[in-house]
Amino acid sequence: MKTDVLVIGGGPAGLCAAIEAASFGCKVTLVDESLALGGQLIKQTHKFFGSSDEFAGIRGIEIAKRLNEEVNNRRDRIEVFLNTSAVGYYPDEKLVSCMTAEQKFFTIKPEKLVVATGAFEKIVPFPGNDLPGVYGAGAVQTLMNVYGVVPGKRVLMVGAGNIGLIVSYQLLQAGVELAGIVEFAPKIGGYWVHAAKVRRLGIPIYLRHTVKRALGEKWVEGAIIQAIDEKGDWKGEEKKIECDVICLAVGLSPTCELLWQAGCEMEYVSELSGYVPKRDETMRTTHPDIWVAGDASGIEEASSAMIEGKIAGLSVAYSLGRVEEFFFKERLAEFWEKLNLLRGGETSQKIKIGVEKVLLKKDDRDNCLDIQRYAQARSESQIIQYDEKFLSGVLNNQMVESVLPPEALWKNKKGGLVIVECPQTIPCDPCHTNCPTGAILPFDNINDLPKIDYSKCTGCALCVASCPGLACFVVDLTYHEGEKAILKLPYEMLPRPEVNQEVLCLDREGNAIATGKVIRVQEPKKDRTLVVHVVVPRKLVNQIRAIRVIKNG
Amino acid sequence: MNLIEKHPILQFEHGKKVKFTFDGKEMEGFEGEPIAAALHANGIKILSYTEKYKRPRGFFCAIGKCSSCFVIVDGVPNVRSCITPLKEGMAIQTQYGRGKFSQEVQKDED
Amino acid sequence: MDEEIFVCRCEEVTLREIRDAIRSGHTTLSELRRLLRVGMGPCQGRGCREIILREIAKQTRVPIEKLYPAKFRPPSKPVPMGLVKNNGV
Ligand SMILES: Cc1cc2nc3c(=O)[nH]c(=O)nc-3n(C[C@H](O)[C@H](O)[C@H](O)COP(=O)(O)OP(=O)(O)OC[C@H]3O[C@@H](n4cnc5c(N)ncnc54)[C@H](O)[C@@H]3O)c2cc1C
Ligand code: SF4
Ligand code: SF4
Ligand code: FES
């Protein structure tokens, strides 16, 4: 079989590459080994960060649907093969061998190839790590979010990066018990707001801990965890955790076997989480007919994977003579602008450094040094303060003070004022883009911390409903019963709270510290994130940050 | 089956219910969903035993990359159950070791 | 620690075997592959590669970035035996 462009992998990167190339008239073949298009997106029930151009504030599953539609609109030019693995690349013949349904073997001969094969879950070595019940985080997600199968009764999560934190939250949403999260490092690796979400539901994060062994003969029946010291030696007591699933979320490595086979120059770059191909600004590898995009080119994010996919698609179309040079350059520059913006925050410095290492360029090594120095200065300035609590996703008392609105304005403000608990620069801005009054000021850079003009805030709680970090709250101190106040908070769990119902009020670590009464339940964005208005004791408004519905019977 | 009944965000639209067997035992699952998911919903965690040390194996990545989830399907060994869709009447077996063809090789379908 | 840790799930190679082999001078991925068959199973070393590289780096005190990578050849996926033969390339 022949085609202009073969795209391997139908995740966000591959889909965008296919869409972009097809929109310039290329005939595209897209193969994906899973049973549906969308890659990692089809299991992401949470709202994504990033900028609105790349669908920020929208759930991963929704993004997958939209990209799917775009592919469907171009079905005359994009041919899709599902349940089809690209298994080998034969450099001499420039052939890709494929296998459908573990049965049928065939080959494709493309003019140009885009490899967007995503990533593979890393494994940690401990005795029993090969037992059934030790699952990758992606597997747990696939089971519960795509096929609705309960992954287990009680899960121990290993790793507090974004994936570990998000999957933990998703397990709770699916009604699965979570024994806790262990993290090797002295602080969470993922976004702080994601940690705060699970902490306020009472889930412990054990920093500087790891799994010592899995218990069980035939399958997982528990785990032993223990603390480690700075040198990596065991410290303190062993702790037994009851669980039947140990979920590994210790990072991903790029899947690049096909690129190795094709003879692309590869380099190990720890910032990008493994071996990745060298590439130029158009995502072309050292092989003139092969491009790479998404996690396969370095572990990053769906938003950047989409842009990289578009870059690869555009560049492939250009190399096939389907795009004018001027237009190509303009569009490429536009894409890079977005990538740079996305990679501007403290959490992305690593990526930037990693990309510099593998980017094929002519002369500007100095530039690279600058970024390194910048990053270093930055991380030094970050080392300061923070206590253990904060590092596991809980604001400490001084910080609580700093996020509260000015007392004078707040006291008498009908409808209440916003409280934003988002202390880390991350590429995210839906709080601003969804605020109808401009109270959350425009971001100069998408990585900025949200800045607030309290005089404009009406307490409408649209930010509460749209913040993917569930980091916005509204507190109305004018509730007429004096001793009480109204707290408007986001809620994405079951069961759904009912008006007039009594609920437990939880503090930032999930301790039940009061009961409150639900007076209103809204779904402002019609996307299943509820904004619940709860009447709570006024003196606890700065502590209560979540509710639990008391199950009857 | 061990399924999530209610979810605050998702609605699961399962396909047609079909019957299949695992080591001869009749089970139910949904057509088109991966064999591994169907087995897990039926409480099956062990999919194979390793060659050397006879260690039990379940799935690990669920996206076709680790080859931890091999089973024998209608006589064909080394089938990645996490990305192979379930069909009515499939005979699935635990795989011992590297797996041998217990039946004639499937013929090309077209 | 007596319990065995399986690093390569496919070929059932333990961390101890790998450490021993590195200690006796087999300090590249390709040598270890030939000696122990690590990373030669159907997953193509996706699970074990990182762990092995880290072990080599630790023992030889060479940063991972500087270790020489092994080459991969097609097919990168386990193809059920017989199918290749039947359908040809
Ligand atoms: C829990 C979790 C939360 C996340 N949250 C966010 C977030 O909030 N914001 C954000 O921007 N990003 C997020 N991400 C990251 C994001 O999902 C990934 O970075 C993104 O999906 C990478 O896209 P991709 O297209 O490169 O790879 P993938 O989405 O992994 O897609 C790769 C596709 O290629 C297919 N494939 C692989 N090998 C082959 C082969 N040989 N033959 C055929 N097909 C093949 C696979 O089946 C898969 O469909 C999250 C990821 C996870 C796991
Ligand atoms: S409560 Fe409404 S007005 Fe106030 S910051 Fe949030 S969105 Fe803006
Ligand atoms: S407060 Fe704003 S920047 Fe912070 S997570 Fe929420 S939407 Fe993103
Ligand atoms: S579970 Fe990894 S290939 Fe099936």
Side-chain angles (χ1 to χ4, degrees):
Chain A
M1 198 182 117
K2 284 195 175 176
T3 183
D4 286 352
V5 185
L6 172 62
V7 178
I8 304 177
L15 286 171
C16 285
I19 293 164
E20 181 81 11
S23 70
F24 291 107
C26 305
K27 178 175 174 277
V28 181
T29 306
L30 176 64
V31 300
D32 192 294
E33 62 190 0
S34 58
L35 304 179
L37 288 179
Q40 299 287 334
L41 293 178
I42 61 172
K43 32 188 147 146
Q44 309 306 340
T45 50
H46 65 289
K47 296 177 185 172
F48 273 44
F49 292 92
S51 71
S52 1
D53 281 352
E54 272 67 45
F55 311 110
I58 300 178
R59 299 186 192 284
I61 35 177
E62 276 303 313
I63 303 177
K65 269 191 213 149
R66 295 192 194 183
L67 291 176
N68 245 312
E69 269 164 35
E70 288 195 45
V71 167
N72 279 332
N73 294 340
R74 295 180 176 80
R75 269 296 156 103
D76 52 327
R77 301 211 195 102
I78 306 179
E79 192 178 9
V80 177
F81 291 89
L82 287 176
N83 201 200
T84 300
S85 311
V87 289
Y89 183 81
Y90 297 85
D92 299 338
E93 300 90 346
K94 295 195 175 161
L95 273 182
V96 177
S97 58
C98 296
M99 182 177 65
T100 295
E102 307 277 73
Q103 303 273 335
K104 224 180 95 195
F105 211 61
F106 64 103
T107 57
I108 301 180
K109 191 175 169 72
E111 296 277 324
K112 310 286 170 196
L113 177 62
V114 179
V115 175
T117 43
F120 177 72
E121 217 107 37
K122 286 187 185 168
I123 297 175
V124 258
F126 57 83
N129 69 352
D130 62 334
L131 281 175
V134 177
Y135 300 144
V140 166
Q141 270 193 315
T142 307
L143 266 193
M144 69 177 175
N145 292 348
V146 184
Y147 300 109
V149 175
V150 181
K153 289 200 185 69
R154 194 171 151 91
V155 177
L156 173 68
M157 182 65 63
V158 184
N162 272 334
I163 295 183
L165 296 172
I166 291 170
V167 176
S168 293
Y169 185 71
Q170 293 174 348
L171 280 161
L172 296 171
Q173 287 183 310
V176 179
E177 261 185 68
L178 195 63
I181 306 176
V182 290
E183 166 61 55
F184 194 82
K187 60 177 225 173
I188 49 159
Y191 294 165
W192 189 90
V193 287
H194 282 318
K197 275 195 224 175
V198 290
R199 292 290 276 125
R200 68 172 85 107
L201 296 173
I203 304 304
I205 298 184
Y206 302 97
L207 296 174
R208 270 203 205 287
H209 271 71
T210 190
V211 183
K212 197 166 188 187
R213 90 180 70 90
L215 304 173
E217 288 292 319
K218 291 180 170 162
W219 45 66
V220 173
E221 288 169 359
I224 300 290
I225 66 169
Q226 198 176 352
I228 36 183
D229 62 18
E230 286 76 11
K231 286 191 261 87
D233 295 328
W234 299 113
K235 186 177 110 178
E237 302 264 294
E238 292 188 347
K239 189 175 163 74
K240 187 176 166 199
I241 301 279
E242 299 284 337
C243 60
D244 62 347
V245 169
I246 298 175
C247 182
L248 298 187
V250 291
L252 303 167
S253 351
T255 317
C256 317
E257 283 75 16
L258 292 165
L259 298 167
W260 285 106
Q261 292 170 13
C264 300
E265 256 183 68
M266 307 290 286
E267 195 158 311
Y268 188 98
V269 182
S270 52
E271 290 86 351
L272 300 177
S273 306
Y275 279 107
V276 291
K278 295 191 170 176
R279 75 307 285 262
D280 63 14
E281 283 100 335
T282 74
M283 299 309 289
R284 194 199 296 236
T285 65
T286 51
H287 188 302
D289 295 322
I290 301 183
W291 280 255
V292 66
D295 281 353
S297 69
I299 306 301
E300 202 177 341
E301 299 242 301
S303 32
S304 47
M306 286 186 255
I307 303 176
E308 286 179 348
K310 288 180 198 166
I311 291 178
L314 171 72
S315 166
V316 162
Y318 176 65
S319 74
L320 288 167
R322 304 281 161 82
V323 189
E324 300 276 344
E325 184 177 339
F326 172 74
F327 188 76
F328 166 69
K329 282 194 177 149
E330 280 289 296
R331 200 162 162 84
L332 184 63
E334 202 182 293
F335 288 148
W336 268 99
E337 229 167 78
K338 285 190 189 164
L339 264 185
N340 287 335
L341 261 179
L342 271 180
R343 291 172 178 162
E346 66 189 77
T347 43
S348 312
Q349 282 312 313
K350 211 177 72 170
I351 303 285
K352 250 181 141 160
I353 295 168
V355 169
E356 285 297 321
K357 287 188 183 167
V358 281
L359 204 56
L360 298 161
K361 273 188 301 194
K362 281 166 237 102
D363 40 28
D364 48 4
R365 299 311 296 174
D366 303 346
N367 179 8
C368 161
L369 267 183
D370 260 341
I371 286 176
Q372 300 246 27
R373 224 174 281 137
Y374 173 72
Q376 207 175 356
R378 183 140 198 165
S379 61
E380 275 161 18
S381 73
Q382 287 288 326
I383 296 173
I384 19 173
Q385 73 262 174
Y386 311 145
D387 57 354
E388 180 134 338
K389 244 186 181 179
F390 179 79
L391 296 177
S392 77
V394 176
L395 282 191
N396 58 29
N397 294 340
Q398 291 134 300
M399 298 190 84
V400 170
E401 293 293 315
S402 71
V403 297
L404 300 179
E407 185 71 34
L409 197 62
W410 196 14
K411 268 196 321 232
N412 301 316
K413 180 75 187 221
K414 284 239 172 305
L417 288 177
V418 69
I419 296 178
V420 180
E421 304 194 353
C422 180
Q424 179 191 39
T425 60
I426 51 178
C428 179
D429 69 0
C431 52
H432 158 66
T433 54
N434 284 279
C435 173
T437 66
I440 300 195
L441 302 173
F443 286 46
D444 294 329
N445 177 317
I446 186 165
N447 289 286
D448 288 348
L449 295 180
K451 287 190 278 296
I452 305 152
D453 177 350
Y454 291 101
S455 68
K456 289 194 183 142
C457 176
T458 59
C460 70
L462 280 176
C463 55
V464 178
S466 47
C467 164
L470 305 189
C472 300
F473 307 85
V474 169
V475 170
D476 182 349
L477 296 175
T478 67
Y479 192 62
H480 49 265
E481 286 171 36
E483 289 299 293
K484 306 274 180 181
I486 300 174
L487 176 61
K488 306 179 191 174
L489 43 74
Y491 186 85
E492 296 183 323
M493 294 284 156
L494 283 179
R496 194 186 158 108
E498 305 290 338
V499 172
N500 287 329
Q501 199 173 17
E502 288 265 312
V503 292
L504 285 180
C505 299
L506 311 180
D507 68 7
R508 292 184 180 80
E509 293 176 86
N511 304 308
I513 52 172
T515 55
K517 191 170 146 197
V518 176
I519 52 166
R520 195 165 171 205
V521 179
Q522 298 172 286
E523 191 186 341
K525 308 284 291 181
K526 301 281 164 267
D527 64 356
R528 300 182 176 229
T529 298
L530 305 180
V531 174
V532 183
H533 299 225
V534 196
V535 175
V536 302
R538 182 176 169 148
K539 60 181 192 309
L540 295 176
V541 281
N542 297 336
Q543 276 137 61
I544 297 170
R545 283 300 171 267
I547 54 166
R548 180 174 298 138
V549 175
I550 307 161
K551 285 178 203 156
N552 5 327
Chain B
M1 274 183 279
N2 214 349
L3 300 176
I4 298 170
E5 278 154 29
K6 278 190 279 171
H7 195 283
I9 310 294
L10 297 169
Q11 268 167 323
F12 299 104
E13 284 156 26
H14 293 287
K16 198 177 106 196
K17 227 180 216 172
V18 294
K19 290 198 159 55
F20 66 96
T21 62
F22 181 70
D23 289 342
K25 208 170 136 219
E26 191 162 288
M27 292 181 179
E28 276 184 338
F30 298 103
E31 185 172 61
E33 297 191 357
I35 293 172
L39 288 173
H40 200 275
N42 280 282
I44 302 297
K45 291 187 176 178
I46 301 177
L47 303 173
S48 67
Y49 288 88
T50 59
E51 176 92 9
K52 244 198 265 177
Y53 300 109
K54 318 282 180 248
R55 296 191 52 94
R57 281 279 187 275
F59 62 83
F60 175 73
C61 73
I63 49 169
K65 289 187 175 176
C66 72
S67 304
S68 200
C69 62
F70 283 163
V71 289
I72 302 176
V73 177
D74 293 334
V76 181
N78 299 341
V79 171
R80 285 175 290 172
S81 57
C82 69
I83 54 162
T84 302
L86 184 70
K87 291 198 196 106
E88 174 82 53
M90 269 181 167
I92 302 161
Q93 288 166 276
T94 308
Q95 175 166 330
Y96 294 88
R98 294 195 199 284
K100 296 183 190 71
F101 278 77
S102 52
Q103 240 172 259
E104 270 294 278
V105 177
Q106 300 279 94
K107 273 160 231 92
D108 210 342
E109 262 151 33
D110 53 12
Chain C
M1 207 192 317
D2 308 301
E3 293 145 303
E4 294 292 7
I5 300 175
F6 289 93
V7 171
C8 170
R9 297 159 70 93
C10 307
E11 296 293 328
E12 300 176 74
V13 185
T14 64
L15 189 58
R16 193 210 323 251
E17 288 173 283
I18 289 169
R19 286 189 175 152
D20 287 348
I22 299 173
R23 215 166 290 135
S24 56
H26 305 278
T27 53
T28 63
L29 260 187
S30 3
E31 276 174 275
L32 292 171
R33 288 164 66 114
R34 253 175 278 132
L35 192 74
L36 300 172
R37 294 192 54 79
V38 281
M40 303 273 280
C43 89
Q44 292 293 301
R46 287 193 182 124
C48 59
R49 188 156 62 230
E50 281 274 332
I51 301 176
I52 298 171
L53 285 172
R54 237 176 293 141
E55 281 301 319
I56 300 178
K58 214 159 47 182
Q59 286 203 27
T60 58
R61 292 165 199 272
V62 178
I64 293 192
E65 285 82 354
K66 301 273 159 59
L67 294 172
Y68 188 71
K71 291 267 176 204
F72 293 84
R73 260 170 223 99
S76 78
K77 276 284 152 49
V79 177
M81 263 180 340
L83 298 177
V84 185
K85 212 164 49 206
N86 280 3
N87 303 302
V89 178

